[in-house]
Amino acid sequence: MEPTAAFQGLRCPACERIHALTSDHSCPDCGAACEVAYDYAAVTPAELFDLPDDTESEVGADDPSAPGHWRFDALLPFAASDAVTAGEGGTPLVAADRLAEELDVADVYIKDEGRNPTGTVYDRGMSLAVTALAAEDDPDALEPIALATTGNSGQSAAAYVGRLGLRSYAFVPSRSAFSNKAMINVHGGEMRVVGGRYADAVEAVDEQLATDYYSLQEFTTPYRHEGAKTLAFELYADLGEIPDYVFIPTSTGELIAGVANGFEELTEIGATESTPTIVAVQPTSCAPIATALERGESAPEPWAVPDTIVGELEVPDPAGGPQAVDALQRLDGDAVTVDDADILDSAVTVAQQEVIEMGAAGGAAPAGAWAYDEDGGFDSDETVVLLNTESGAKTPDILRSHLMGGGR
Ligand SMILES: [Zn+2]
């Protein structure tokens, strides 16, 4: 498997050196987790966006289009032809006219990541991470493949690792959504249900796997947040311009770090000059990244007593906390916190008004936009994007019981 032309290797954020690929993705000199590095001078906007060339515009004259977000492989480490993919990415950007009216802005769009193969935005990064695994000389020798997960990324990992026929372990907290647990098994993954909360699942990986393993943990593998950046490319391609705001339900920090990086790369290659205001949305009862940003700190303090019904967003000590806070500071982003009831109300409202089925975590995006609006956030000519991170099929029980409990 050949790397793409612009891909240089893995850059150590601590000592800045660029290294060849290694299976643990860490710097051989200092041990820090590495980031993917590119030569931006080697990529033009036309290459990234696959703009048709007159000589190749005839139908069938060129290779068929790469599926989903792999069309952007000019700025990915691996070529679309080598990808372990199920067509993730390329999700619809749906106009939400009633929301636009209510928020008194020009346009509101929902980027519906619930329509990915396993119903989650994490399929993007998992496809890259598992493609990197497939690129290893002897992937079989790296078994088992493992991660701790609040649920969605575990389901995604089981699915993509299953494509390679390798053994994977997802460590999930007992409170993880039933649909995630069921589908981890359906995809052929091993599951370890850990009593307690997400932090307990993280600890259990090393405790219970008394062997070396290949990690698919976010920010241990550099490819998960790397995969999230294609959201920025798709938003720009679909809108034809940079939106004013992107509201992102936030847990591990990988979506914030990835999407911010994607918009910055568009400026690096000369496609755009500006970046949007990225707004991280966290539940009031587990908001380490929002709190660090508000206090001007460079790294979040672990959240002492996390307690949100939105299990996907209950990540008290985010692996990508420093990267997310840094990204928000670089791009002059913002953060809001919202109560669980508002998150669930928002998911229900979007389902009733706009067709789109959001899981509970996805509801944080519209809830964040409402909260921002109440603080006088928007101008009437602005374009607002809400990132729906998961399908409604993930948490119908939570949404329905909220609905019944509230008498709606
Ligand atoms: Zn280093």
Side-chain angles (χ1 to χ4, degrees):
M1 193 182 289
E2 289 291 311
T4 49
F7 180 47
Q8 296 176 312
L10 298 179
R11 178 186 288 114
C12 172
C15 65
E16 294 281 321
R17 291 197 189 88
I18 294 179
H19 303 287
L21 305 192
T22 55
S23 60
D24 72 354
H25 313 116
S26 67
C27 173
D29 298 330
C30 75
C34 289
E35 297 282 339
V36 178
Y38 300 95
D39 174 10
Y40 294 116
V43 181
T44 64
E47 282 165 338
L48 179 64
F49 291 101
D50 262 340
L51 300 180
D53 168 326
D54 281 347
T55 59
E56 294 178 358
S57 57
E58 193 184 328
V59 173
D62 196 6
D63 291 338
S65 303
H69 71 155
W70 287 93
R71 65 177 278 212
F72 301 112
D73 64 354
L75 270 180
L76 293 174
F78 311 104
S81 53
D82 291 327
V84 179
T85 177
E88 61 291 327
T91 54
L93 185 65
V94 181
D97 294 341
R98 282 177 67 179
L99 288 179
E101 210 170 289
E102 290 167 14
L103 292 172
D104 191 22
V105 295
D107 294 291
V108 173
Y109 294 97
I110 298 169
K111 179 65 169 167
D112 191 9
E113 290 292 293
R115 291 190 232 187
N116 277 302
T118 78
T120 172
V121 65
Y122 296 121
D123 287 339
R124 292 176 187 261
M126 205 58 74
S127 170
L128 251 70
V130 174
T131 298
L133 170 60
E136 295 279 349
D137 289 339
D138 186 6
D140 291 23
L142 297 169
E143 285 185 311
I145 320 303
L147 78 167
T149 163
T150 47
N152 282 343
S153 59
Q155 180 179 338
S156 182
Y160 284 85
V161 175
R163 199 83 184 271
L164 301 186
L166 299 179
R167 194 159 43 98
S168 72
Y169 286 89
F171 288 76
V172 301
S174 43
R175 61 162 316 176
S176 185
F178 170 76
S179 64
N180 289 142
K181 292 176 186 161
M183 293 309 292
I184 287 168
N185 288 143
V186 169
H187 284 296
E190 304 276 345
M191 181 171 56
R192 293 286 179 272
V193 177
V194 181
R197 293 172 180 257
Y198 178 62
D200 302 296
V202 173
E203 273 185 28
V205 181
D206 284 322
E207 281 171 11
Q208 293 190 22
L209 287 182
T211 176
D212 287 342
Y213 60 90
Y214 184 95
S215 177
L216 288 178
Q217 205 69 49
E218 69 280 358
F219 296 96
T220 299
T221 166
Y223 300 109
R224 289 197 34 202
H225 57 289
E226 183 66 15
K229 79 179 184 186
T230 55
L231 279 163
F233 302 163
E234 286 178 16
L235 290 176
Y236 176 64
D238 287 352
L239 291 170
E241 61 182 6
I242 295 296
D244 295 293
Y245 290 92
V246 184
F247 283 81
I248 302 182
T250 298
S251 56
T252 61
E254 69 193 272
L255 300 180
I256 297 291
V259 173
N261 180 37
F263 282 115
E264 286 177 308
E265 288 190 341
L266 291 177
T267 66
E268 292 277 0
I269 66 166
T272 64
E273 290 181 351
S274 62
T275 56
T277 300
I278 293 176
V279 185
V281 188
Q282 297 206 281
T284 312
S285 52
C286 186
I289 290 172
T291 303
L293 186 74
E294 186 189 325
R295 292 180 182 164
E297 294 166 350
S298 59
E301 290 286 320
W303 198 261
V305 188
D307 184 23
T308 168
I309 197 168
V310 188
E312 272 295 303
L313 299 184
E314 194 180 89
V315 177
D317 190 9
Q323 292 90 335
V325 172
D326 184 50
L328 292 168
Q329 288 169 341
R330 282 198 315 271
L331 271 63
D332 203 15
D334 212 334
V336 291
T337 58
V338 284
D339 291 341
D340 284 4
D342 292 334
I343 293 175
L344 302 178
D345 266 343
S346 298
V348 169
T349 299
V350 167
Q352 295 186 351
Q353 292 188 5
E354 308 285 356
V355 182
I356 306 293
E357 297 183 353
M358 291 184 161
W370 284 117
Y372 205 83
D373 184 52
E374 279 166 21
D375 286 347
F378 301 115
D379 288 335
S380 59
D381 61 348
E382 289 179 321
T383 298
V384 176
V385 171
L386 310 176
L387 183 69
N388 177 31
T389 50
E390 63 173 11
S391 79
K394 300 283 191 177
T395 59
D397 48 344
I398 294 175
L399 297 181
R400 185 167 181 271
S401 59
H402 172 72
L403 193 60
M404 298 300 147
R408 280 176 72 167

